[in-house]
Amino acid sequence: MPRWVWGVIVVLILLIWVVPNPTAAGTAVGNAFQALVVFFRSLGSAAVG
């Protein structure tokens, strides 16, 4: 996926979750980011192993 698509996704996440409720958004965005990290790490380990 092109980099600009990821930029649009991040901006949408900020507009949908962070702006309306900043306190709850911290946890939601953090969990989503952790999930992405775990997903890409599992892809990397599957490709290597």
Side-chain angles (χ1 to χ4, degrees):
M1 222 184 302
R3 288 185 185 177
W4 66 268
V5 174
W6 288 111
V8 170
I9 291 171
V10 168
V11 169
L12 287 175
I13 288 173
L14 290 175
L15 290 176
I16 292 169
W17 282 298
V18 175
V19 174
N21 189 358
T23 52
T27 305
V29 173
N31 289 343
F33 182 73
Q34 276 186 330
L36 281 174
V37 169
V38 169
F39 173 72
F40 285 114
R41 281 187 184 163
S42 67
L43 284 180
S45 63
V48 171

